[in-house]
Amino acid sequence: TPRPEILRHLDASGMVFFCLGCMLFFAGMDLGERFGWFDSRLIVVCLCGSGLFFLLFVVNEYTVRNPWASPRLFASFNIVMSVGMVAIYIFIMTANSLLITHFLSTVQELKPIQSGNALLVIALLQVLLTPFCVYLVLKVDTRLTCAAGIILMALACYQGTRITADWVAADFFPMGILFACGHPLVFLSLMAFCIASFTMQTAPGLLAYIQFLRISTPAAGGAALLLIMRQREDLHLTSLGSRLTGDTPAVRHFLETGGSLEDLHTAATTQATVLAINDVFGLCCAIALGTLALLVFIKAMKPTPVSPVPVGGTLPDPAVSR
């Protein structure tokens, strides 16, 4: 039912503070790795400014008459779990696309249009498997479908820990199949969690938070992954360099057969990059497995058109509770 009285008491100040905070946060995360993070005044202004606007937003939501997206919306444990799992899911998907393309572009020196073929297979499989996943979500407890999808994504990340410098785009197809099977299961299950947790009063504010996560998590997650990879690559390169001396038989043989010091440095840098990508895939695998523990704490939620099967068991009878 239309409610025109909402427009007469619109929380415009809260929307302004929230949107400005989101904009500055996204800019700071997106440019942070390229500008050297806190070595750049621009990044400091963006991140500190976003924190200030978010603080003003929280104060505003607790003081205005009709708050737009009050933090009190997160009083429900199921809402906290659902929104948190959305952020983790987006982070793992960002890592999947970023790490594969980063490997193919830096190690195999492929152009984006060439490395995109590996991701195209994942997209096509998702299109084909989504109707089947929809059927499962309609017939099975959503926690089970979500757990199955997370396990498939964790297995794909585990395969990423076995990457070597000899891998080509075709070697990523088994990993892509696992991601393609797990992605729609997790996505549809999380959508069912969110819809079951929302009410007509809380939906507008919670959708604002989810949209913020949808846009900012890839930027923040990508920046964090690039930072971790750069640090791990430096660590592995230093470790490899300390072992590559003229007394090492392999190094001596490499130089005697026509290899140069520049070629040796290039090979060491490539291997350090591969080891760094393996480390990040291992981190994503651990995060995916840790997310399974969150499903245990999902409480019973009402059936919805997108998840007719009750989630987390049977809801208590209101008549009995009274």
Side-chain angles (χ1 to χ4, degrees), residues 56-315:
L56 293 175
F57 165 73
V58 172
V59 174
N60 177 87
E61 295 304 282
Y62 278 104
T63 55
V64 297
R65 177 181 175 184
N66 295 310
W68 166 59
S70 174
R72 293 190 181 95
L73 298 176
F74 293 96
S76 171
F77 182 77
N78 278 350
I79 290 178
V80 175
M81 300 297 293
S82 301
V83 175
M85 291 179 65
V86 167
I88 296 173
Y89 156 77
I90 296 175
F91 175 81
I92 295 176
M93 291 304 301
T94 301
N96 168 47
S97 58
L98 176 65
L99 294 175
I100 293 177
T101 54
H102 180 75
F103 174 87
L104 294 176
S105 62
T106 57
V107 178
Q108 298 297 334
E109 298 182 351
L110 297 181
K111 296 179 180 179
I113 191 173
Q114 295 172 310
S115 60
N117 292 331
L119 299 179
L120 180 60
V121 174
I122 301 176
L124 293 177
L125 284 174
Q126 288 173 3
V127 173
L128 296 175
L129 292 173
T130 296
F132 175 70
C133 295
V134 170
Y135 175 80
L136 287 179
V137 172
L138 293 175
K139 300 296 182 180
V140 184
D141 188 335
T142 316
R143 292 182 304 170
L144 298 178
T145 57
C146 187
I150 292 174
I151 291 174
L152 291 173
M153 295 174 69
L155 289 175
C157 293
Y158 175 74
Q159 283 192 341
T161 63
R162 307 171 67 87
I163 290 177
T164 65
D166 298 327
W167 276 40
V168 295
D171 293 318
F172 288 96
F173 288 162
M175 183 189 305
I177 293 174
L178 290 174
F179 266 114
C181 296
H183 170 266
L185 283 175
V186 178
F187 173 77
L188 294 170
S189 300
L190 292 179
M191 184 175 68
F193 288 156
C194 292
I195 292 178
S197 302
F198 290 2
T199 63
M200 293 184 63
Q201 290 73 28
T202 62
L206 290 173
L207 287 175
Y209 287 112
I210 289 181
Q211 289 300 317
F212 168 68
L213 291 176
R214 185 181 67 85
I215 296 174
S216 62
T217 302
L225 290 171
L226 290 175
L227 177 62
I228 294 173
M229 275 195 295
R230 178 167 56 83
Q231 293 180 342
R232 298 297 299 177
E233 184 177 347
D234 293 341
L235 178 63
H236 288 302
L237 185 60
T238 302
S239 177
L240 290 173
S242 63
R243 301 177 183 180
L244 297 178
T245 63
D247 298 331
T248 306
V251 174
R252 187 165 58 250
H253 176 73
F254 179 81
L255 296 176
E256 291 174 352
T257 55
S260 63
L261 292 177
E262 183 179 356
D263 295 334
L264 183 62
H265 179 268
T266 301
T269 302
T270 300
Q271 186 61 27
T273 301
V274 172
L275 292 174
I277 293 175
N278 289 346
D279 292 342
V280 178
F281 266 122
L283 173 64
C284 294
C285 181
I287 293 175
L289 293 177
T291 309
L292 287 175
L294 299 180
L295 292 174
V296 179
F297 300 100
I298 294 290
K299 299 179 181 178
M301 289 187 286
K302 61 183 179 181
T304 66
V306 297
S307 58
V309 179
V311 177
T314 305
L315 290 169

